[in-house]
């Protein structure tokens, strides 16, 4: 005679439902994904000059008159100047929004959300002296090798690298 115990049947069904639910959790959680999971690693553009650096320099030169005093920003001063020029931009890319990292470097994100480190032009950026006064304390202001770098400067919420 075949005897079926009702208690075992209920327990085994309940156990099967719980195990099935636990097995579907990883499957369902992987479908949603996150934006950060698909972001490629940062790109270091320090090896070559980019078009954006030259464009920034020519934009700075446009407003200069012949009788206007000019300051040359290089190094950290130029980086901070470039960051301030682009920090409120609404688009992505080299002409878009710039971010200040915790390690004191400036970067922007391309259309694929990949980070690109920004390097100042080796010849520096010519800026009207009245505008350049706020960068006086940084390395590279009018050829100074002393001064502070960009580490420790707080920035607005920046996307993770």
């Amino acid at each position: 005679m075949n005897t079926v115990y009702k208690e075992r049947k209920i327990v085994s069904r309940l156990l099967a439902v719980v195990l099935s639910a636990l097995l579907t959790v990883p499957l369902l959680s992987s479908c949603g994904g996150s934006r950060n999971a698909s972001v490629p690693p940062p790109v270091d553009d320090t090896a070559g000059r980019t078009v954006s650096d030259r464009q920034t320099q020519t934009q700075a030169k446009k407003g200069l008159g012949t009788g206007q005093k000019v300051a040359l920003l290089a190094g950290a001063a130029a980086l901070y100047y470039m960051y301030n020029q682009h920090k409120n931009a609404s688009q992505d890319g080299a002409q878009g929004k710039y971010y200040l990292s915790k390690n004191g470097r400036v970067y922007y994100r391309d259309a694929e959300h990949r980070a690109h480190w920004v390097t100042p032009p080796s010849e520096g950026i010519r800026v009207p002296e009245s505008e350049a006064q706020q960068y006086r304390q940084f390395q590279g202001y009018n050829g100074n090798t002393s001064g502070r770098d960009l580490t420790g400067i707080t920035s607005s919420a920046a996307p993770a690298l």
Side-chain angles (χ1 to χ4, degrees):
M1 182 167 171
N2 228 353
T3 327
V4 177
Y5 296 102
K6 195 171 187 175
E7 286 180 20
R8 283 189 178 172
K9 193 174 184 181
I10 292 173
V11 170
S12 64
R13 280 189 182 171
L14 183 61
L15 186 60
V17 169
V18 169
L19 289 175
S20 297
L22 287 175
L23 289 173
T24 58
V25 168
L27 177 68
L28 294 176
S29 66
S30 66
C31 290
S34 70
R35 185 175 154 187
N36 291 340
S38 63
V39 174
V43 175
D44 194 357
D45 291 333
T46 57
R49 303 287 354 134
T50 62
V51 176
S52 64
D53 294 338
R54 289 186 209 110
Q55 288 174 348
T56 303
Q57 186 177 7
T58 56
Q59 286 173 354
K61 285 183 181 180
K62 282 183 186 175
L64 302 176
T66 55
Q68 196 172 22
K69 289 189 176 185
V70 174
L72 185 66
L73 301 180
L79 262 182
Y80 198 46
Y81 173 79
M82 292 167 67
Y83 164 73
N84 283 330
Q85 296 296 311
H86 292 274
K87 69 181 176 183
N88 295 323
S90 59
Q91 60 195 26
D92 288 335
Q95 297 303 317
K97 187 170 185 170
Y98 281 17
Y99 303 96
L100 187 59
S101 69
K102 290 179 183 177
N103 65 359
R105 295 191 65 188
V106 176
Y107 66 97
Y108 65 88
R109 296 224 175 250
D110 61 13
E112 298 169 352
H113 301 288
R114 187 178 345 191
H116 292 266
W117 297 114
V118 177
T119 56
S122 57
E123 61 275 358
I125 302 172
R126 298 171 59 91
V127 179
E129 191 174 32
S130 59
E131 192 176 331
Q133 287 299 318
Q134 63 183 1
Y135 306 104
R136 179 177 291 261
Q137 63 189 0
F138 294 98
Q139 294 172 354
Y141 177 82
N142 268 347
N144 288 342
T145 55
S146 63
R148 62 184 285 209
D149 56 7
L150 299 183
T151 54
I153 295 177
T154 58
S155 66
S156 60
L161 286 176

